[in-house]
Amino acid sequence: MQLNAKLLDPRLGSEFPLPARATEGSAGVDLRAMLDAPLTLAPGQRELIPTGLSIHIGDPNWCAMLMPRSGQGHKRGLILGNTIGLIDSDYQGPLMVSLWNRGQQPQTIDVGERIAQMVMVPVGIPEFNWVEDYAEDSVRGAGGYGSSGTT
Ligand SMILES: O=c1ccn([C@H]2C[C@H](O)[C@@H](COP(=O)(O)OP(=O)(O)OP(=O)(O)O)O2)c(=O)[nH]1
Ligand SMILES: [Mg+2]
């Protein structure tokens, strides 16, 4: 899909590669920490980190989601302060990553390091049809929270 975007940090595309997917089959576009200097996050600390770009999706049938990189999350405890960042189709401001060190050790983020990934996701737009009863009872009904067991 085509995506209008602005480079807000001139180091992107010169000193650091443009945002890109790591491989042809990657779902996520890796986003970099466009910091002025390395940043150390203490255990439990989170900071809003600029990615150096903005996007304008435009089409309300799409959104973007910012997600942790699995290696960073699993090995270093670096995930997102909002768990997943949701980027609205009408947002035109700078893309920011709330990076959260949920681990036990301080973690230093290098300038330009790839800290998160952005995935484009289709959005269903609900038009609520408020009813008293559902026409059919589903097999699940109100069962949830482990109701189907573990085996
Ligand atoms: O990780 C994130 C999450 C959000 N945003 C931007 C894009 C998004 O469209 C906007 C608002 O996000 P959201 O709707 O999740 O936050 P909110 O707390 O509901 O703010 P608002 O009242 O502005 O909608 O902030 C980011 O840059 N990074
Ligand atoms: Mg909102």
Side-chain angles (χ1 to χ4, degrees):
M1 66 180 293
Q2 299 291 313
L3 183 60
N4 288 327
K6 284 186 190 172
L7 289 174
L8 306 178
D9 190 316
R11 294 174 297 176
L12 280 177
S14 55
E15 201 177 327
F16 299 104
L18 289 172
R21 294 171 305 129
T23 66
E24 270 292 302
S26 294
V29 174
D30 286 336
L31 301 175
R32 295 176 184 275
M34 300 311 293
L35 298 160
D36 293 328
L39 172 71
T40 299
L41 292 179
Q45 189 181 350
R46 83 276 186 280
E47 291 293 335
L48 217 44
I49 299 183
T51 63
L53 73 147
S54 71
I55 61 170
H56 181 213
I57 301 169
D59 180 348
N61 295 293
W62 288 87
C63 72
M65 288 189 183
L66 308 188
M67 305 185 188
R69 297 184 63 206
S70 52
Q72 301 276 50
H74 181 67
K75 296 177 190 161
R76 299 177 66 191
L78 289 172
I79 59 170
L80 306 184
N82 43 359
T83 62
I84 287 180
L86 179 60
I87 313 301
D88 298 292
S89 69
D90 53 357
Y91 182 70
Q92 297 181 314
L95 272 190
M96 305 293 285
V97 171
S98 170
L99 198 63
W100 174 31
N101 179 4
R102 59 131 183 92
Q104 310 291 319
Q105 307 296 328
Q107 296 291 341
T108 299
I109 316 305
D110 289 329
V111 178
E113 186 175 330
R114 288 180 287 140
I115 51 167
Q117 52 187 332
M118 178 179 80
V119 179
M120 304 306 300
V121 179
V123 175
I125 299 175
E127 284 178 26
F128 288 104
N129 182 30
W130 304 108
V131 297
E132 292 295 329
D133 294 298
Y134 295 118
E136 289 168 25
D137 292 334
S138 69
V139 172
R140 172 181 292 277
Y145 306 97
S147 67
S148 67
T150 54
T151 55

